[in-house]
Amino acid sequence: MFNVHAATATAPAVSPLPSVPANALRARPLATPAPKRVDAEAYQRASQQITDTLAVLRDTLAPQRRVVHAGDIVHSAGEQFTHLFIVNAGLYKVINLTPDGREQVVGLKFRGDWLGFDGIAGQQYTCDAIAMDTGEVWMVRYDALLASAARQPVLMSLLHEAMSREIRRDRDSLMAVCTLPADARVADFLRDWADSLARRGLRTDQITLRMTRAEIGNYLGMTLETVSRALSKLAKQQLIGFDGKGRRDIRIPDVAALTAFVQDCVAPEANGGVTLQ
Amino acid sequence: MFNVHAATATAPAVSPLPSVPANALRARPLATPAPKRVDAEAYQRASQQITDTLAVLRDTLAPQRRVVHAGDIVHSAGEQFTHLFIVNAGLYKVINLTPDGREQVVGLKFRGDWLGFDGIAGQQYTCDAIAMDTGEVWMVRYDALLASAARQPVLMSLLHEAMSREIRRDRDSLMAVCTLPADARVADFLRDWADSLARRGLRTDQITLRMTRAEIGNYLGMTLETVSRALSKLAKQQLIGFDGKGRRDIRIPDVAALTAFVQDCVAPEANGGVTLQ
DNA sequence: CGGGCGTTTGAATCAAATCAATTGGAGTGG
DNA sequence: CCACTCCAATTGATTTGATTCAAACGCCCG
C-alpha cells in the first residue's frame, strides 16, 4: 500500500487531440482551502438539488414506495433485475460477492442515491443492497423508467447523472484504498461520511455509524483491529470524539481538520504542520 | 489487507421484501469449473456481441473517428465534458487524480468499452484517458447521442449497459484490491486481462502488457518491486512465462491455472491442492 | 560504447495482520 | 435488581507480508 511511484511515466507524446495539456490540472497549486461560507452555500445548494430531484422523480414516475428496516434486503445478488431503487430515506450498504466466496462492502448509499445500476447489464443484480436503518426506497421498473424518460428528457438526465456519479465515487474509493495508509483511510471515510451528510443538509458534527468495526474494516480493506486503533488515534488527537454510551456515535468538531490529517499522511513534510504523533 | 472478518454481521432481521434469502447465493457450492467448450462458445458470443454493438453504433451515430497513438490523451481531467468515446481499437488507461496530488490508474479499456462517463455528472471529466497503443476511438457528442437514442431505443440500452458494466467492473477492482494478497492480485490482473482479450476474440496465450511495472503496481495498489516479485513467483510456478526479449510479453499457458492460484490464495486449506511454494 | 530507463533481486525495515487477553454494554432470565 | 451470557470494541504482543533501500542487470537508442 501507499505507493509513491509515479503512475504516468509514459512518453510525453505530442497529442493531436484538441484537449488541454495532460498536466494542466496537476500544475495548479495544491491545497484549496475554500472559504467556509462558500462551502456552506454549496452544501445548501446540493441539499436543495437532491430534494428537487426527488420531487421530480416522485411527480413524474409515481414510484412505488417501500419502507424498510435495518437488515432488510432491497435487492440481492443473482436476483432477476427488474427495478431500480431511489433512496428517499435511510442508509444502505452494497455488498459485492465473488464466486469464490469473498464478500465486501463496496458502497454506502444515502438519500438521493440510486440502487441497482449493476443489474442493467446482465439482467440480474450482482450484489446485495441492505438497509442499515429504517428508511424508504422508491421502486421504479426499469422498463417503465425508460418509457417515461423517452417522453421526459429530464428523467434521462437524472438517471445518467446518478450513474456517472456512481462511477466517479467508485473510482475515488479505489483511490483511497490504494493510496492511503490505514489511519488516513479511516479519517477519509469519516470525512466522506460527514460530507455526504452535509450535502444532504444534515448536521455533520455528530454522526452515527450504523456499522460494526468489522464492517468498516471490510469496506476500507483492513481488519477491525486496525479500524479500532485508527479511531483511537484520531480521538487522541482530538480530531474526533466519542459521544454517547456506545462507541458508534462519533463527534467531528472540525471536518477540515480531518481533511488536513489525510493530506498530512500523503505529504508529511510538505505541510509545515507539526506532526504531533 | 486480506481481511478475513465477516462483513455482514448484522441481525438476521426478517425481511418483508419479496426477495430471495440473503445468503441464497453464498450457500451454493464453491468452485464452478465450467466445461471448456462452453467457455469458448461464450467467448465467441461475447466477441460477436461487441462487434455487433460497434456496428450498430457506427451505423446509427456515424461517429467521428479518431486515430490515436501511444501517449495520446483522449480526454483529460478538468476539461469540459462534451463527448463520450467508444473504443474501436487499442488499449487505454484511465487515470484518476485527487486535489492533493495523488494519481492512480483506475481502469483499463479495450475495444467496445466507453470512455468519459465520469464527465456526465459535473459537466467535466474527472480523469485522464490515455491511449497506450495505436488505436481508434469514436467520438460521440453526448447531446447528439441523447437525441439519437430518443429515436432509437437500442442506443439507449447500449449506453446504459456500458455504464452498468463499468460500475460492476469498478466494484470488482475494489474487491480484488481489498481482499487479495499481492501475488493473487497480480495473478488476477493477468487473468482478467486474458479474459478481456478472450471476450474480444483475441488469443490469450500471449499477452503484451503495454505498461511498466510501476504502472501495474499503481493500478493494483502495490509497489513496482512487489509486482516484479509476484511475476517472478508466478513464472517459477510455470503459471506464466516470459516470451520475447523484453519482460512485457507474457505467455499464459493455462488461464484456469491462474484462477486456481487466486482461489488457493483465498482459501489455502479448502482446496486439496498441493501448495508448492 | 556508454547513458538512461525498466526490471530483477536481496536485505532491512515497517505497517498492518494475527493472535490473544480484557473491557464494556445490551439483553436475558432467575 | 443482579448475575449471567453474548457480542462489540479496545489494547497489547507478536508475526508476517509488503515496502523501502540498495545494488546489479539487461535492453534500447543515440
Side-chain angles (χ1 to χ4, degrees):
Chain A
M1 284 297 106
F2 206 24
N3 184 354
V4 291
H5 297 286
T8 50
T10 40
V14 185
S15 165
L17 296 181
S19 53
V20 299
N23 48 6
L25 198 136
R26 298 180 193 89
R28 79 186 187 189
L30 302 178
T32 55
K36 203 162 187 178
R37 265 201 55 246
V38 173
D39 281 3
E41 280 171 19
Y43 283 137
Q44 197 169 345
R45 208 162 43 237
S47 169
Q48 190 57 48
Q49 197 172 326
I50 290 172
T51 301
D52 293 346
T53 297
L54 286 171
V56 169
L57 292 170
R58 172 170 40 74
D59 295 342
T60 58
L61 292 171
Q64 182 182 345
R65 296 176 169 218
R66 171 158 282 164
V67 173
V68 295
H69 301 98
D72 286 355
I73 298 169
V74 178
H75 65 69
S76 60
E79 191 184 350
Q80 172 82 16
F81 169 75
T82 51
H83 291 78
L84 288 174
F85 305 86
I86 298 152
V87 174
N88 181 47
L91 170 63
Y92 305 78
K93 59 182 174 187
V94 178
I95 297 173
N96 214 14
L97 306 161
T98 58
D100 54 41
R102 287 172 288 149
E103 63 180 81
Q104 196 199 350
V105 179
V106 294
L108 297 172
K109 303 293 173 181
F110 296 85
R111 174 176 153 90
D113 291 334
W114 295 54
L115 294 167
F117 287 145
D118 57 287
I120 294 176
Q123 309 295 349
Q124 61 179 38
Y125 303 102
T126 59
C127 59
D128 295 350
I130 299 175
M132 304 178 71
D133 196 8
T134 299
E136 185 184 273
V137 291
W138 294 348
M139 303 176 61
V140 184
R141 282 196 63 89
Y142 177 59
D143 46 17
L145 173 63
L146 288 185
S148 300
R151 283 176 280 106
Q152 311 241 346
V154 64
L155 278 184
M156 200 58 90
S157 293
L158 292 179
L159 172 65
H160 292 171
E161 275 166 31
M163 294 183 86
S164 178
R165 262 195 307 277
E166 174 135 356
I167 287 169
R168 275 202 215 178
R169 173 156 276 272
D170 288 352
R171 288 179 181 168
D172 288 342
S173 291
L174 184 63
M175 282 209 72
V177 166
C178 284
T179 64
L180 294 178
D183 292 343
R185 231 140 75 213
V186 172
D188 190 62
F189 165 74
L190 294 173
R191 186 204 53 69
D192 192 52
W193 191 307
D195 200 55
S196 294
L197 295 182
R199 271 184 278 109
R200 283 158 182 84
L202 304 169
R203 57 186 304 193
T204 67
D205 56 338
Q206 173 77 56
I207 69 181
T208 302
L209 304 177
R210 287 181 175 76
M211 312 168 72
T212 65
R213 301 289 189 258
E215 276 182 310
I216 297 170
N218 181 277
Y219 181 45
L220 299 177
M222 62 186 76
T223 59
L224 67 94
E225 293 96 328
T226 303
V227 174
S228 182
R229 276 184 248 271
L231 288 172
S232 296
K233 185 174 171 183
L234 291 173
K236 200 175 296 175
Q237 297 191 23
Q238 310 279 336
L239 292 169
I240 65 170
F242 290 108
D243 280 9
K245 315 276 179 186
R247 312 213 76 73
R248 295 202 192 173
D249 290 326
I250 290 182
R251 185 168 35 79
I252 302 180
D254 183 9
V255 177
L258 270 186
T259 306
F261 178 84
V262 176
Q263 300 273 48
D264 197 51
C265 288
V266 176
E269 76 294 335
N271 202 345
V274 189
T275 353
L276 44 130
Q277 197 67 333
Chain B
M1 284 296 107
F2 205 22
N3 183 355
V4 291
H5 298 285
T8 49
T10 38
V14 186
S15 165
L17 296 182
S19 54
V20 300
N23 48 6
L25 199 137
R26 296 180 195 91
R28 78 185 188 187
L30 302 179
T32 54
K36 202 162 187 178
R37 265 201 55 247
V38 174
D39 280 3
E41 282 170 20
Y43 282 138
Q44 198 169 345
R45 208 162 43 237
S47 169
Q48 191 56 51
Q49 197 171 325
I50 290 172
T51 301
D52 294 346
T53 297
L54 286 172
V56 169
L57 292 170
R58 173 170 39 75
D59 295 342
T60 58
L61 291 171
Q64 182 184 347
R65 296 174 171 221
R66 171 158 283 164
V67 173
V68 296
H69 301 97
D72 284 355
I73 299 169
V74 179
H75 65 70
S76 61
E79 191 185 350
Q80 171 83 16
F81 170 75
T82 51
H83 291 76
L84 289 174
F85 305 86
I86 298 153
V87 174
N88 181 47
L91 170 63
Y92 304 78
K93 60 182 174 185
V94 178
I95 298 172
N96 215 13
L97 307 160
T98 59
D100 53 41
R102 288 173 287 150
E103 62 180 82
Q104 197 198 349
V105 179
V106 294
L108 296 173
K109 303 294 173 182
F110 296 86
R111 174 176 153 88
D113 291 334
W114 295 53
L115 293 167
F117 288 146
D118 57 286
I120 295 176
Q123 308 297 349
Q124 62 179 37
Y125 304 102
T126 59
C127 58
D128 294 351
I130 299 175
M132 304 178 71
D133 195 8
T134 300
E136 184 184 274
V137 292
W138 294 349
M139 302 176 62
V140 184
R141 282 197 62 90
Y142 178 59
D143 48 16
L145 173 63
L146 288 185
S148 301
R151 284 175 278 107
Q152 310 240 348
V154 64
L155 277 184
M156 199 58 90
S157 293
L158 292 178
L159 172 64
H160 291 173
E161 276 166 32
M163 294 184 86
S164 177
R165 263 196 306 276
E166 173 135 358
I167 287 169
R168 277 203 212 176
R169 174 156 277 272
D170 288 352
R171 287 180 182 168
D172 288 341
S173 291
L174 184 64
M175 283 209 71
V177 166
C178 283
T179 65
L180 294 177
D183 292 343
R185 231 140 76 212
V186 172
D188 190 62
F189 165 75
L190 294 173
R191 185 204 53 69
D192 192 51
W193 192 306
D195 200 56
S196 294
L197 294 182
R199 271 185 277 108
R200 284 160 180 83
L202 304 169
R203 57 187 305 194
T204 67
D205 56 338
Q206 174 77 56
I207 69 182
T208 302
L209 303 178
R210 286 182 176 75
M211 312 169 71
T212 64
R213 302 289 189 256
E215 277 182 308
I216 297 171
N218 181 277
Y219 179 45
L220 299 177
M222 64 186 75
T223 59
L224 67 93
E225 294 96 329
T226 302
V227 174
S228 179
R229 278 184 248 270
L231 289 172
S232 296
K233 186 174 172 183
L234 291 173
K236 200 176 296 174
Q237 298 190 20
Q238 310 279 336
L239 292 169
I240 66 171
F242 290 108
D243 281 9
K245 316 276 180 185
R247 313 220 75 80
R248 296 203 193 171
D249 289 328
I250 290 182
R251 184 169 34 79
I252 303 181
D254 182 9
V255 177
L258 270 186
T259 307
F261 177 84
V262 176
Q263 300 273 48
D264 196 51
C265 288
V266 176
E269 77 294 335
N271 201 346
V274 189
T275 353
L276 44 129
Q277 197 67 334

